[in-house]
Amino acid sequence: MVIVMAPEATQDDVEAIVELVATAGGEAFASRGVSRTIIGLIGDVDQFTALNLRGMRGVADVVRVSAPYKLVSRGNHPDRSTVTVRGVPIGPDTVTLIAGPCAVETPQQTLEAATMAKAAGATLLRGGAYKPRTSPYAFQGLGEAGLRILADVREETGLPIVTEVVDAHDVALVASYADMLQVGTRNAQNFALLQAVGAAGRPVMLKRGMTATIEEWLMAAEYIAQRGNLDIVLCERGIRTYETATRNTLDISAVPVVQRLSHLPVIVDPSHSGGRRDLVLPLTRAAIAIGADGLIIDVHPNPDQALCDGPQALVDGDLAELAAVMRDFPALVNRTLTVSPAMSTAATPV
Amino acid sequence: MVIVMAPEATQDDVEAIVELVATAGGEAFASRGVSRTIIGLIGDVDQFTALNLRGMRGVADVVRVSAPYKLVSRGNHPDRSTVTVRGVPIGPDTVTLIAGPCAVETPQQTLEAATMAKAAGATLLRGGAYKPRTSPYAFQGLGEAGLRILADVREETGLPIVTEVVDAHDVALVASYADMLQVGTRNAQNFALLQAVGAAGRPVMLKRGMTATIEEWLMAAEYIAQRGNLDIVLCERGIRTYETATRNTLDISAVPVVQRLSHLPVIVDPSHSGGRRDLVLPLTRAAIAIGADGLIIDVHPNPDQALCDGPQALVDGDLAELAAVMRDFPALVNRTLTVSPAMSTAATPV
Amino acid sequence: MVIVMAPEATQDDVEAIVELVATAGGEAFASRGVSRTIIGLIGDVDQFTALNLRGMRGVADVVRVSAPYKLVSRGNHPDRSTVTVRGVPIGPDTVTLIAGPCAVETPQQTLEAATMAKAAGATLLRGGAYKPRTSPYAFQGLGEAGLRILADVREETGLPIVTEVVDAHDVALVASYADMLQVGTRNAQNFALLQAVGAAGRPVMLKRGMTATIEEWLMAAEYIAQRGNLDIVLCERGIRTYETATRNTLDISAVPVVQRLSHLPVIVDPSHSGGRRDLVLPLTRAAIAIGADGLIIDVHPNPDQALCDGPQALVDGDLAELAAVMRDFPALVNRTLTVSPAMSTAATPV
Amino acid sequence: MVIVMAPEATQDDVEAIVELVATAGGEAFASRGVSRTIIGLIGDVDQFTALNLRGMRGVADVVRVSAPYKLVSRGNHPDRSTVTVRGVPIGPDTVTLIAGPCAVETPQQTLEAATMAKAAGATLLRGGAYKPRTSPYAFQGLGEAGLRILADVREETGLPIVTEVVDAHDVALVASYADMLQVGTRNAQNFALLQAVGAAGRPVMLKRGMTATIEEWLMAAEYIAQRGNLDIVLCERGIRTYETATRNTLDISAVPVVQRLSHLPVIVDPSHSGGRRDLVLPLTRAAIAIGADGLIIDVHPNPDQALCDGPQALVDGDLAELAAVMRDFPALVNRTLTVSPAMSTAATPV
């Protein structure tokens, strides 16, 4: 940590800081410059943060030097991690496809979508039983009835389930059905929910907040990790910018940037980011090429009748192309497409 | 609602839409242009939204014409509303000052801050017992102990309490102490929380999400209003932009824009937006001048020791100036400073 | 300047930097921390910048401590400046109104708009002869014919002229007519133009780039100041954000922030920022209240027929209200409305 | 074009618009809805734009239905174009690598960088003789001396030159040396410059403005095309967002989005977007995978001594990897790496 003093700061101001830092068990080294003095601190950053040095007289700025997250940090865990969802890996050696309908609407629609997902090479099924809708008048999801449909479809297809939980209160219920809990972009800083999923004993998929910096995203992951749960997969799904031609702006550089800062797997959502069917396959190719550990894609048997996000869902006609991409692109980045392990279809979690 | 067809759309495509709209009880009027056809729809917008017209073949765009919020809309309620918090009004005839410490730290600090608040002209006390912190290692608030401190301070000073609730699960507890529930920027799309505060029987202060459009903000208010609670005060606290010189960018134009779209009162937070002590008074003057119904300002007896957001808190030396602004500026916009009604200090809510 | 070394940096890496800094005549002080080493530099920042320290092995970050602009900096010139345009001051003791039509269309329209401007309290006339239009098919302005119209209107009304120059090549011509040269938001980083207006012997109004940080804005001013011209007025006109309810987002906090960093006057454009007639007067009140040194406002006798930006222009019916605001608000911030000095109507510049 | 009337609009308001539209030779069709009336217009959009319908009484919104650009539009020119620079194609069948030093510093440095570029598979040489620097104190480029160095290096290596021109006044001079003129992000709306390069008889590389929407970018291209020059290559180089972990945010989705809207080639700059050496190769893979027609990459023999943007330049050690990517990835998207045509090294332009 470095403190930048204002030009008009006095010697007394500097000494006050040196003393304060000492009370926190740290050391301060002042360098007097031509126009300013800077003070380097050695010691425990969290203790220094609690001192509120920015509020001290004469301080112009405080620059933190060490990262504010630890458990999820690559510094703490130099090898990249693999998270396993009922035997299906998401990690650095493979590319994992998660696919399914944005919302669980009916048993038939969900089963058809799951079949489409498998045909495209998916090894995990996504589907929303709880939908966070910006408008209170829009379809909010089937709730537990939707979870039961997903469980039935898992039994039929063998695909483990990834589904969103929107409230801390529902975590236990959702965890009793799902193999992986998803935290959505709008809940990126719902700290109660993050702590609850951290304690739920399931792998978590943490979507980036639509206006979250990479640092905020990793600190959200740290909330989960603090509860002892490091089975976290980060999902880049686009950020909010001034451009309106796409629903969000996919921040493709976040994949390598985060993989250097954190050991957690990073996947990409090419459906919600672009928001357009015709962008899904191009963004998928880009994601695999840049080293994403996986993709999460919307598919729907009849998007015309989808109750949410129909325009971005892939349809039957796209599946062959998606399957080809999933089959052919991973080799170019020295990976293989994840395939389903031999697995029981019983409801007991792995 | 208007549907814009792509140039290559066929007559069959158009007819498919006209038929679909009829099934939803609406009417469609096609205008064939030089290069495109547009279709105007008459009927229930929510029904049309459910049809997912954007996914129909040949559709280039769908433009919604009516506002997606109703209960909070000015169209529904032409006069501007006044929300009353234990007898203290927030509305179009007055300017109400809400002030207090960002976080409740100790009984003494909170009482001192409340005294500072009153001296500056405040009629409502803010103070955080639950603090949503981006870092899991930062001070998270005293919880219920903090609520008790606030209740004691209310008894001593007569100032009703505004405090943040961060989880739907805590709403009942917080509502048993607080006179007004605050929903923070990071929970702007925590729909479970919005619904819970909507049902809690208390006025609500809804902060704008840091990346929320005005429309999203009003739809969040609509979630609350749907539960029968229209005692909602909207709080503009700055939005996230590329500029880093200030903590957020205060969107001052949101005040008049929202006052034309919604009947709800709109207040401004000049503390969290600018993030700097030296910006609080300038932003306060601007807010009163533009017609804000109130301000919410951080004050702290010893910001050097504040456990959160010390750099933006006003101190004793600023109070005289704030009191002068609160006293002198409202008249210029034909308002008066809100003063405390005669009130009992019993804990029973008004 | 402070260099932050990466955790894996070696002692050799540190020494390489210390040596390099010495070659630039500076001194480096290394502080070895628990997890990292930081190096404080004392010396000439520009020399250090040229060393490209960020590219040295082991460097994680370089934090610049002193401001990159000097001539426009408040540090260099502690008192706030007043810029005079043909006797009309723009500075800290007054509030100056600049008003007129967005584009010069006809002699009659321009004269009527100038008359409206005077009635509202304006002491400077704005009008565009060269219009930078995003679409190449839109009206681009009358060019020199427009400048002649402005000159005639100046003679009739006594109002000095502020007009935009879009190309370095036109500077001499425009300067022969105008009293103040305006650089538009789209040319905020047109460095050739900045240098040309810096050398033109006229006061300059520098609009903030629509995505310019305050620092970039001040460095653009520094380009002008480097040519010996410190008669620069900065104009905040809104920045680009994700919000689409307004044309731009007026960054009202930029006024006090910049006034603390630079001695140059800062004015506000409430017309192009909000982009709506009904926001002009509210934003004007906010701007005066926050301490802006002036306003620049669009007026038009017949906005229905305006060739550009009609929707934001004030009309006759608004003038009385604008005149009242200009008359009544400045006193609240200890200023007076600028009034026209006794002036000759000859074309010779002051 | 569609006009949305406000709820309180009267029948007279509607008729006023219908009449006005008729004067512009168009037709208006009013659809009266439950809460609003909408009016569809048939006719010449440019004429309608000139009418300033938004300013008419009762109008809430005007939605433009057809694209504002024509010459660059895919609608006008259904096949994707190939632009040829002295025999080197940039288009849909190939992937073209443009590489070289960010700034031309010395003959030796430029020749070494050009050699590096060729080794990596480049068929065009980039190098800046005129550098637009945000700070007036930073190295601004060698000017004509830099152009001469580039010409010499072209003679030695056979690589045609792409170089930036920053002012309309310099276009003739730069065009006398360069094979392709580059317009930088800061000049994206320097309309005088756009028109000048449009008339210069050279292919143009048009970088996206750092806050330009795709529509604004294409309209900037339309300025160039209006002068008869359709040899325009669009370059996505990242947009400005709130995220500071990267210098800009590469908008990878812009590649497919623009390729559907315009027939012009689209390339990607992975150097200035990420701003970090370690992101260049990942972003390059993503760009090729998503279908970019080319890449433009910074290389430098000694980035430690680079006078600008050293931290993002690739070095010798990276070349083998870049060459491998350029060789292996294009096949996956059915393209081939562009190779140099047999060409004379004479200075006469093709």
Side-chain angles (χ1 to χ4, degrees), chain A residues 51-52 55 133-137 140 167 169 186 189-192 211 216 219 222-223 226 240 303-304 310-311, chain B residues 51-52 55 133-137 140 167 169 186 189-192 211 216 219 222-223 226 240 303-304 311:
Chain A
L51 292 179
N52 187 26
R133 302 310 292 282
T134 299
S135 165
Y137 298 104
Q140 308 263 326
D167 190 51
H169 205 231
R186 291 166 188 79
Q189 288 197 311
N190 181 339
F191 302 118
T211 197
E216 288 165 342
M219 284 199 284
E222 190 81 358
Y223 263 96
Q226 268 199 328
R240 176 159 281 187
D304 291 356
Chain B
L51 292 179
N52 186 25
R133 301 311 293 281
T134 299
S135 164
Y137 298 104
Q140 309 263 326
D167 189 51
H169 206 231
R186 293 167 186 78
Q189 288 197 308
N190 181 338
F191 302 118
T211 197
E216 288 165 340
M219 284 201 282
E222 191 82 356
Y223 263 96
Q226 268 199 328
R240 177 159 280 187
D304 291 356

Side-chain angles (χ1 to χ4, degrees), chain C residues 74-89:
Chain C
R74 194 89 189 258
N76 235 37
H77 189 289
D79 295 329
R80 297 203 61 232
S81 294
T82 296
V83 171
T84 308
V85 182
R86 210 190 251 250
V88 177

Side-chain angles (χ1 to χ4, degrees), chain C residues 20 46 50-57 68-71 131-138 140 166-169 186-187 189-193 195 210-213 215-216 219-220 222-223 226 240 277 303-307 309-311, chain D residues 20 46 50-57 68-71 131-138 140 166-169 186-187 189-193 195 210-213 215-216 219-220 222-223 226 240 277 303-307 309-311:
Chain C
L20 184 61
D46 295 316
L51 293 179
N52 186 26
L53 295 157
R54 222 194 212 89
M56 297 288 282
R57 187 185 345 234
Y69 42 85
K70 309 171 197 307
L71 300 169
K131 298 304 301 176
R133 301 311 292 283
T134 299
S135 165
Y137 298 104
Q140 307 264 326
V166 300
D167 190 51
H169 206 230
R186 293 167 186 76
N187 277 320
Q189 289 196 308
N190 181 338
F191 302 118
L193 178 62
Q195 290 171 332
M210 65 175 74
T211 196
T213 59
E215 186 171 285
E216 287 166 343
M219 285 200 282
E222 191 82 356
Y223 263 97
Q226 268 198 331
R240 177 160 279 186
R277 181 172 306 137
D304 290 356
Q305 294 155 25
L307 294 180
D309 292 344
Chain D
L20 185 61
D46 295 318
L51 292 179
N52 186 24
L53 295 157
R54 221 194 212 91
M56 297 288 282
R57 186 183 348 233
Y69 41 85
K70 307 168 199 310
L71 300 170
K131 299 305 300 176
R133 302 309 293 283
T134 299
S135 165
Y137 298 105
Q140 308 266 325
V166 299
D167 189 53
H169 205 230
R186 293 167 186 77
N187 277 320
Q189 290 197 308
N190 181 340
F191 302 119
L193 177 62
Q195 290 170 333
M210 64 176 73
T211 196
T213 60
E215 185 170 285
E216 287 166 342
M219 284 201 282
E222 191 83 356
Y223 264 97
Q226 268 199 330
R240 176 160 279 186
R277 180 172 307 139
D304 290 356
Q305 294 155 26
L307 293 180
D309 293 343

